[in-house]
């Protein structure tokens, strides 16, 4: 079985997996990082979004072997070592942008990449468009959009993750 | 500003959020037990077939496989029970065919489970399932209710002639017939309520565990009501007594009704864990969710209103065919009867109502309660009918509603269809909504849109619902096989912190915050010192779970009752410590005071004394400060309100955009306004989803065509606008909190508001009615039907 060596949340990991293993399976099952969720089988819902080398990726759509040598950040790796939350996490809580919490990790990871990819700022319409790959069944998105709009200036004012 | 205020009315941020935003939630699929195995369920890909043969030999021999079970192996265990019995008009009980855990003899819908493969890994189980040799002989099948009642229709169950489950009615037929005979106008409307897939973001999962040393079973499951699952599965399916079965519903990622029911997979993993003596886990793939989670809605109705010359409603006559699917899900029979027909008075004084409901079996996934459950169907029918009355008679849409509203001084109001509303003010919610939505300014916005080539419409819905489910004696008399009270245990610890053990379950509603706020308010304890425990039959005395917007109105009321007991006992302890009479002790803000003096003992001091009873009235009262209350509601609660929707249609594409949405709801006492607003926003999004996007489409034989997120149009962020959400509350008169419930109002009030707006936008095209979803294709076809607008402005 192939050996996959990667950095996850700043720590090196080396795991033997079946070649067909998905990145999300490696994270959830081999590394027990269960903050990344699986909500569909068709790359539609975005509950599994993580960052691979700084870009958001649906980890149900990437083979674990494709992440060999990569640096992966999951929801568990967002907060600072002292526990200080990432501004996006803070704003999700502040603006009641989550209810059941299941889509939240993927939503937060997508939102961070969206903001980072648009340093010039984002309109509400652009935020909504940018969230097309993430489904939420609880919130109606209203408060998620508000949280991202509020987090963007905070992120741009603080050093990158 | 009082920064510390955390009680009733404070928008405190949610206690549960920290774990969810940090990836530390604990959902069922996140739980792993030592030596755990994985189950994969082989399901039918045919809508209706006879099982000719199942050969499991190759699957059993596959790598990692420990066991393969089929219906024959489970023949000794019971079928999945139905929790509500309806009787037909003629007094006969509904037809209630066995719902086997694994198919026995026949499969009756795509997704019907046939066999389970248990292996060391999920992939091994899945691979081995490919090796099952299953021979099915197709049988004729039907999917739609109209086809199901046709004389020549194939039968889903041999014992259900005409595919009928029940043929039920409510109301005074003679009075209705007489009113129709006298009516100045009669307006009739045929409409369907589209079938939906609930699609909570967390797929269902179940993990069964068996302890050979004690014989105890544990089931971790994605449930809205673990005690109900323990009762149904333990007593009716597996024959396990409650004390040997623990059911845990940990963090649950959304439910919307679909996680109320007892599902086959829960019984399979629990039973299988006992067979293989190892934990067994099953997690649905999304494609399985589509064909195994109970669906919602699916009604075909005819509605007729008799009117006097002034547009007053004289009588309402409704006939509804509703789809039960292939088997009866746990609460399915109640949805189109007591949660639907009884709601058809709505906000109006219609004096005579007669409703016939025929429930039919089809070769489709079982249908049960989905957010709103019956009440969205009733509201859609009624509010579309009212707009159609306006269309046909030329009366103004708002005026006709005002003329027929139950006046604010008419409460308690007895409807002709069983319910007695305790409170409400439909004029108040209407006025606030019209103002917030700038109803009066709409013609200018319509004209501006027209100048850009867009069709703009505005729609209104004035709705009422019944929730806070439910008085046990009442529902028992209507066929419920359970009581619907709620239970709370309040444990004041020796140092004064508090644990709340509630029988309700939070799967997104924020109970860990809202219910803790009740403790802040009543016992004067800081929010950080209160923990709400839910979802574990081993920790919570009992409970009926969360659905029907009942957690605060019923579960919160049980907490109030338990806290009353805490205070009463605390007064006796404080009286002893303060050398006063208990009658003279007052309790406020966490302090027991001798009335009119500065003699005081805090709740913490009293609690410590209760647990360290050295100086204690031990002959009079027991040590400890731990009280349990069961609360059985006296009535349903009756939220209501007004939703206004404004849409713009692009005639080139047929795409409808919701440009404004205003919801003004009466939910009674609000504990956390932020959470209430979030609940309404989420409900409205699901309502807009139903109205414009979502549709569970079966072909005529019963193949689900919209079986993934690629095909079933879930609302996405860019499909929805910002919502304007407000409340205009009257208090519930029969529970101690005055709360009515807010979980379902958004999904109940919104669909007709959206369709009324779409029909309004298309009024120049002669459109009288449009069924949901108002898809671009449907609208484009209307606009491009080769005829000019009938009355250009």
């Amino acid at each position: 079985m192939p050996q996959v060596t990667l950095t996850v949340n700043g720590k090196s990991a080396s795991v033997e997996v079946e070649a067909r293993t998905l990145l999300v399976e490696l994270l959830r099952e081999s590394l027990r990082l269960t903050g990344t969720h699986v909500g569909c089988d068709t790359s539609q819902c975005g509950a599994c979004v993580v960052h691979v080398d700084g870009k958001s990726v649906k980890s149900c759509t990437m083979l674990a072997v494709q992440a060999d040598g990569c640096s992966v950040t999951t929801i568990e790796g967002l907060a600072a070592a002292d526990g200080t939350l990432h501004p996006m996490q803070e704003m999700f809580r502040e603006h009641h942008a989550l209810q059941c919490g299941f889509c939240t990790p993927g939503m937060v990871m997508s939102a961070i990449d969206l903001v980072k990819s648009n340093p010039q700022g984002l309109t509400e319409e652009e935020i909504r468009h940018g969230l097309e790959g993430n489904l939420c069944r609880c919130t109606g998105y209203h408060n998620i959009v508000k949280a991202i709009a509020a987090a963007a200036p905070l992120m741009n004012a603080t050093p990158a993750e | 500003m009082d920064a510390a205020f955390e009680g009733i009315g404070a928008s405190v941020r949610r206690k549960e959020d920290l774990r969810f935003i940090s990836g530390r939630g604990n959902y069922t699929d996140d739980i792993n037990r030592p030596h755990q195995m994985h189950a994969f369920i082989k399901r039918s890909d045919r809508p209706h077939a006879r099982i000719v043969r199942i050969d499991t030999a190759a699957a059993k021999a596959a790598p990692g496989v420990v066991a393969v079970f089929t219906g024959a192996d489970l023949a000794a265990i019971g079928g999945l029970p139905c929790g509500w019995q309806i009787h037909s008009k003629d007094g006969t009980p509904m037809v209630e065919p066995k719902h086997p855990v694994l198919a026995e003899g026949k499969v009756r819908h795509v997704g019907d489970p046939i066999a389970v493969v248990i292996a060391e890994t999920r992939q091994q189980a899945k691979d081995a399932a490919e090796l099952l040799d299953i021979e099915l002989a197709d049988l004729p099948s039907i999917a739609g209710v109209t086809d199901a009642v046709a004389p020549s229709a194939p039968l889903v169950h041999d014992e259900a002639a005409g595919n009928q489950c029940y043929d039920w009615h409510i109301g005074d037929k003679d009075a209705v017939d007489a009113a129709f005979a006298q009516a100045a106008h009669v307006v009739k409307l045929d409409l369907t309520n589209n079938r939906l897939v609930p699609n909570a973001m967390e797929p269902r999962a179940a993990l069964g565990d068996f302890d050979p040393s004690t014989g105890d079973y544990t089931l971790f499951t994605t449930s809205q009501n673990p005690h109900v699952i323990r009762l149904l599965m333990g007593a009716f399916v597996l024959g396990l007594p409650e004390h040997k079965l623990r059911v845990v519903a940990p963090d649950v990622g959304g439910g919307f009704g679909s996680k109320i029911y007892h599902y086959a997979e829960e019984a399979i993993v629990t039973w299988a864990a006992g067979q293989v003596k190892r934990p067994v886990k099953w997690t649905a793939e999304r494609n399985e969710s589509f064909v195994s989670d109970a669906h919602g809605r699916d009604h075909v109705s005819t509605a007729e209103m008799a009117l006097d010359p002034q547009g007053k409603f004289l009588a309402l006559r409704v006939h509804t065919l509703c789809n039960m699917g292939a088997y009866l899900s746990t609460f399915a029979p109640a949805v189109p009867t007591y949660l639907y027909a009884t709601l058809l008075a709505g906000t109006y004084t219609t004096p005579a109502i007669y409703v016939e409901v025929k429930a039919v079996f089809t070769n489709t996934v079982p249908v049960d309660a989905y957010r709103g459950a019956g009440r969205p169907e009733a509201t859609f029918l009624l509010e579309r009918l009212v707009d159609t009355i306006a269309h046909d008679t030329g009366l103004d849409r708002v005026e006709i509603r005002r003329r027929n509203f139950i006046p604010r001084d008419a409460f308690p109001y007895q409807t002709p269809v069983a319910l007695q509303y305790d409170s409400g003010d439909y004029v108040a919610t209407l006025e606030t909504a019209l103002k917030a939505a700038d109803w009066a300014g709409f013609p200018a916005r319509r004209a501006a849109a027209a100048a850009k080539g867009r069709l703009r419409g505005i729609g209104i819905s004035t709705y009422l619902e019944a929730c806070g489910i439910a008085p046990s004696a009442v529902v028992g008399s209507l066929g419920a096989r359970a009581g619907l009270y709620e239970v709370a245990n309040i444990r004041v610890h020796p140092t004064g912190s508090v644990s709340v053990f509630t029988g309700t379950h939070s799967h997104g509603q924020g109970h860990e915050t809202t219910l803790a706020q009740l403790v802040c308010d009543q016992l004067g304890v800081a929010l950080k010192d209160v923990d709400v425990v839910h979802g574990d039959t081993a920790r919570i005395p009992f409970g009926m779970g969360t659905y029907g917007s009942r957690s605060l109105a019923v579960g919160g009321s049980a907490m109030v009752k338990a806290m009353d007991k805490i205070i009463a006992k605390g007064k006796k302890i404080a009286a002893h410590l303060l050398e006063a009479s208990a009658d003279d002790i007052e309790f406020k803000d966490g302090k027991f005071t001798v009335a009119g003096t500065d003699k005081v003992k805090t709740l913490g001091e009293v609690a410590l004394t209760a647990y360290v009873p050295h100086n204690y009235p031990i002959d009079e009262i027991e040590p400890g400060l731990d009280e349990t209350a069961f609360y059985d509601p006296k009535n349903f609660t009756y939220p209501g309100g007004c939703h206004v929707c404004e849409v713009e249609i692009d005639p080139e594409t047929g795409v409808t955009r919701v440009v404004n949405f205003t919801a003004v709801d009466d939910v009674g006492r609000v504990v956390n306004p932020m959470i209430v607003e979030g609940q309404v926003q989420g409900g409205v999004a699901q309502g807009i989803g139903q109205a414009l996007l979502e549709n569970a489409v079966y072909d005529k034989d019963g193949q689900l065509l919209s079986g993934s997120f690629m095909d079933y149009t879930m609302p996405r962020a860019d499909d929805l606008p910002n919502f304007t959400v407000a409340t205009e509350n009257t208090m519930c008169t029969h529970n101690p909190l005055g709360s009515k419930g807010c979980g379902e109002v958004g999904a109940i009030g919104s669909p007709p508001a959206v369709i009324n707006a779409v029909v309004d936008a298309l009024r120049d095209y002669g459109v009288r009615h449009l069924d949901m979803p108002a898809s671009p294709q449907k609208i484009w076809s209307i606009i491009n039907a080769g005829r000019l607008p009938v009355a250009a402005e």
Side-chain angles (χ1 to χ4, degrees):
Chain A
M1 287 201 293
Q3 188 83 16
V4 177
T5 303
L6 69 178
T7 305
V8 180
N9 299 331
K11 285 185 212 151
S12 179
S14 194
V15 187
E16 199 174 78
V17 293
E18 275 192 84
R20 62 182 170 177
T21 302
L22 301 170
L23 177 58
V24 69
E25 293 168 340
L26 179 147
L27 294 170
R28 286 184 57 82
E29 289 163 27
S30 303
L31 303 182
R32 291 284 188 249
L33 290 169
T34 54
T36 303
H37 298 150
V38 179
C40 73
D41 332 310
T42 50
S43 296
Q44 290 289 306
C45 82
C48 64
V49 171
V50 298
H51 292 174
V52 177
D53 293 335
K55 299 297 289 179
S56 65
V57 164
K58 286 180 174 169
S59 62
C60 76
T61 312
M62 185 175 188
L63 292 167
V65 292
Q66 291 177 287
D68 189 52
C70 293
S71 174
V72 176
T73 306
T74 71
I75 189 77
E76 290 95 338
L78 274 187
D82 67 355
T84 306
L85 294 173
H86 187 282
M88 191 62 77
Q89 292 172 304
E90 278 287 5
M91 289 302 103
F92 264 61
R93 179 161 195 252
E94 179 60 25
H95 292 278
H96 187 31
L98 62 149
Q99 291 183 23
C100 81
F102 195 80
C103 78
T104 307
M107 200 64 86
V108 166
M109 300 309 284
S110 288
I112 289 171
D113 190 27
L114 179 65
V115 170
K116 284 204 301 196
S117 308
N118 293 276
Q120 77 289 358
L122 287 156
T123 64
E124 184 202 318
E125 200 182 340
E126 287 165 339
I127 294 172
R128 286 183 180 275
H129 184 65
L131 290 179
E132 262 215 313
N134 292 75
L135 289 174
C136 170
R137 193 57 152 167
C138 294
T139 64
Y141 303 99
H142 182 106
N143 289 344
I144 294 174
V145 174
K146 267 172 36 184
I148 295 169
L154 300 175
M155 277 176 62
N156 292 333
T158 52
E161 69 176 79
Chain B
M1 185 183 152
D2 181 1
F5 178 60
E6 298 172 326
I8 293 176
S11 283
V12 295
R13 299 306 182 256
R14 299 200 322 170
K15 287 167 73 80
E16 47 270 81
D17 282 358
L18 193 58
R19 69 175 185 274
F20 292 138
I21 56 180
S22 310
R24 293 200 298 269
N26 184 39
Y27 300 88
T28 301
D29 189 53
D30 299 341
I31 297 170
N32 294 292
R33 308 289 285 175
H35 313 297
Q36 170 181 296
M37 325 240 357
H38 296 267
F40 182 82
I41 292 170
K42 181 72 180 176
R43 297 175 186 278
S44 175
D45 56 3
R46 318 285 179 82
H48 197 194
R50 195 164 50 80
I51 300 172
V52 179
R53 187 175 58 87
I54 306 176
D55 184 346
T56 61
K60 279 179 174 158
V65 172
V66 171
V68 178
F69 299 113
T70 69
D73 299 301
L74 275 72
I77 70 174
L80 301 173
C82 181
W84 203 296
Q85 186 180 49
I86 296 293
H87 284 79
S88 287
K89 287 171 189 170
D90 61 7
T92 56
M94 67 185 188
V95 179
E96 196 173 350
K98 185 179 181 186
H99 185 179
V101 171
L102 290 173
E104 293 173 2
K106 283 181 186 175
V107 289
R108 292 187 173 84
H109 68 87
V110 171
D112 210 356
I114 299 173
V116 56
V117 179
I118 295 166
E120 298 288 345
T121 72
R122 199 179 304 204
Q123 284 300 344
Q124 285 174 331
K126 202 172 172 178
D127 287 347
E130 292 290 311
L131 302 174
L132 286 167
D133 186 4
I134 299 172
E135 188 184 336
L136 298 175
D138 285 325
L139 295 166
S141 54
I142 32 100
V145 285
T146 318
D147 289 344
V149 296
S152 58
L155 293 185
V156 179
H157 297 277
D158 295 339
E159 61 265 52
N163 288 313
Q164 182 179 304
C165 174
Y166 56 76
D167 182 9
W168 174 90
H169 67 162
I170 192 170
D172 187 337
K173 184 174 187 301
D174 292 342
V176 167
D177 289 345
F180 270 85
Q182 303 289 322
H185 309 281
V186 170
V187 174
K188 185 176 174 186
L189 180 66
D190 296 320
L191 73 177
T192 66
N193 201 288
N194 47 328
R195 186 181 181 111
L196 302 176
V197 182
N199 278 326
M201 289 315 302
E202 179 203 23
R204 286 190 299 113
L207 166 56
D209 201 353
F210 174 69
D211 183 343
S213 65
T214 60
D216 290 353
Y217 287 84
T218 303
L219 169 68
F220 299 87
T221 182
T222 49
S223 176
Q224 302 176 212
N225 32 232
H227 285 89
V228 175
I229 300 305
R230 186 180 65 168
L231 180 71
L232 294 173
M233 184 177 79
F236 297 99
V237 186
L238 299 183
L240 295 172
E242 280 97 334
H243 69 292
K244 304 305 282 181
L245 174 59
R246 174 185 177 194
V247 178
V248 183
D251 286 328
V252 173
F256 316 110
S258 71
K259 292 172 180 167
I260 298 172
Y261 323 115
H262 175 39
Y263 286 99
E265 296 84 359
E266 295 171 321
I268 290 170
V269 297
T270 308
W271 177 83
Q275 297 294 306
V276 302
K277 307 281 187 285
R278 287 172 63 180
V280 176
K281 185 200 257 187
W282 167 82
T283 302
E285 298 184 359
R286 182 58 64 178
N287 62 55
E288 288 184 276
S289 306
F290 271 94
V291 295
S292 67
D293 292 6
H295 290 182
R297 319 284 193 251
D298 204 345
H299 286 195
V300 174
S301 298
T302 299
E304 294 171 274
M305 188 74 88
L307 300 132
D308 80 0
Q310 285 73 46
K312 284 281 277 183
F313 304 159
L314 299 176
L316 173 66
R317 184 154 57 200
V318 175
H319 181 270
T320 294
L321 279 175
C322 61
N323 201 335
M324 294 281 104
Y327 304 100
L328 292 179
S329 176
T330 310
F331 290 112
V335 176
T337 49
Y338 294 108
L339 293 173
Y340 164 72
T342 51
L343 273 295
L344 285 166
T347 54
Y348 310 115
T349 54
T350 317
I353 297 174
Y354 180 66
V355 188
E356 290 175 295
V357 177
K358 192 182 273 195
V360 299
F361 294 108
T362 62
N363 295 110
T364 64
V365 174
V367 179
D368 207 326
Y370 164 63
R371 201 170 194 167
R375 292 149 286 162
E377 295 91 313
T379 304
F380 183 69
L381 179 140
L382 202 51
E383 292 302 297
R384 278 300 302 132
L385 182 61
V386 173
D387 260 39
T388 308
I389 291 165
H391 173 273
D392 289 6
T393 63
L395 285 165
D396 177 75
R397 293 179 280 171
V398 175
E399 177 55 28
I400 202 168
R401 287 176 165 86
R402 285 185 198 275
R403 274 184 207 177
N404 287 286
F405 271 160
I406 297 161
R408 58 167 68 106
D409 59 3
F411 296 93
Y413 179 81
Q414 179 63 51
T415 75
V417 274
L419 299 178
Q420 190 185 75
Y421 306 163
D422 65 331
S423 66
D425 187 343
Y426 311 128
V427 174
T429 46
L430 173 76
E431 298 286 1
T432 306
L434 292 179
K435 200 169 163 213
D438 187 22
W439 182 273
F442 175 72
R445 296 194 294 280
R446 182 176 170 103
K452 292 185 298 175
R454 301 291 169 94
L455 304 167
R456 196 160 172 128
I458 194 165
I460 190 168
S461 147
T462 50
Y463 77 93
L464 168 128
E465 67 129 329
C467 61
I469 291 171
S472 295
V474 173
V475 295
S477 73
L478 303 178
R481 289 164 168 164
L484 289 170
Y485 50 83
E486 201 40 79
V487 186
N489 171 223
I490 306 285
R491 184 170 300 162
V492 183
H493 298 289
T495 56
S497 66
V498 175
S499 292
V500 177
F501 299 87
T502 174
T504 67
H505 185 277
S506 184
H507 28 281
Q509 296 89 340
H511 293 176
E512 291 171 38
T513 307
T514 302
L515 298 185
Q517 287 179 263
L518 299 185
V519 179
C520 300
D521 208 84
Q522 196 171 344
L523 297 184
V525 178
L527 197 69
K528 69 174 175 49
D529 295 327
V530 184
D531 260 2
V532 174
V533 179
H534 59 97
D536 186 345
T537 61
R539 299 185 70 191
I540 293 141
F542 203 73
M544 298 310 294
T546 287
Y547 40 81
S549 304
R550 68 191 303 273
S551 299
L552 188 58
V554 189
S557 295
M559 284 177 60
V560 170
K561 234 179 121 182
M563 288 190 285
D564 285 343
K565 293 185 189 180
I566 293 279
I567 293 167
K569 184 172 182 180
K571 282 182 177 175
K572 289 182 188 169
I573 300 167
H576 178 85
L577 295 174
L578 296 168
E579 298 176 333
S581 158
D583 295 338
D584 293 334
I585 303 291
E586 290 173 348
F587 182 73
K588 193 166 180 281
D589 298 333
K591 295 187 185 77
F592 295 91
T593 315
V594 181
T597 75
D598 57 0
K599 290 166 76 177
V600 68
K601 287 286 173 192
T602 65
L603 179 68
E605 290 170 308
V606 165
L608 189 61
T609 307
Y611 288 95
V612 188
H614 296 164
N615 174 19
Y616 196 79
I618 202 82
D619 296 334
E620 197 188 328
I621 48 175
E622 297 167 9
L625 201 53
D626 186 328
E627 297 288 348
T628 298
F630 284 57
Y631 176 82
D632 202 285
K634 296 181 188 73
N635 192 353
F636 293 87
T637 60
Y638 298 97
C642 178
H643 290 189
V644 178
C645 178
E646 205 165 320
V647 299
E648 220 171 78
I649 295 171
D650 180 348
E652 297 295 317
T653 61
V655 170
T656 301
R657 305 274 323 158
V658 175
V659 286
N660 288 314
F661 197 98
T662 306
V664 178
D665 303 293
D666 172 359
V667 298
R669 173 105 50 222
V670 170
V671 174
N672 186 316
M674 175 190 81
I675 287 176
V676 168
E677 211 171 287
Q679 287 293 307
V680 175
Q681 287 166 353
V684 168
Q686 287 180 353
I688 293 174
Q690 169 165 28
L692 295 181
L693 304 166
E694 297 179 41
N695 206 15
V697 183
Y698 277 95
D699 73 7
K700 66 178 177 45
D701 296 323
Q703 277 294 346
L704 182 62
L705 302 180
S706 52
S708 80
F709 286 152
M710 312 278 278
D711 318 289
Y712 184 92
T713 318
M714 291 277 279
R716 292 176 188 270
D718 57 357
D719 293 318
L720 298 168
N722 282 330
F723 308 125
T724 304
V725 172
T727 58
E728 190 68 60
N729 297 312
T730 61
M731 295 303 118
C732 169
T733 60
H734 58 78
N735 71 41
L737 288 165
S739 297
K740 298 183 178 183
C742 67
E744 296 164 291
V745 292
I748 292 168
S750 57
V754 178
I755 295 299
N756 287 346
V758 171
V759 171
D760 182 51
L762 296 173
R763 65 189 178 205
D764 294 342
Y765 293 86
V767 174
R768 182 174 180 262
H769 174 69
L770 198 63
D771 276 322
M772 301 185 286
S775 62
Q777 184 196 20
K778 223 180 258 179
I779 291 176
W780 188 90
S781 301
I782 289 166
I783 292 172
N784 291 277
R787 52 201 167 112
L788 293 168
V790 292
E793 279 185 334

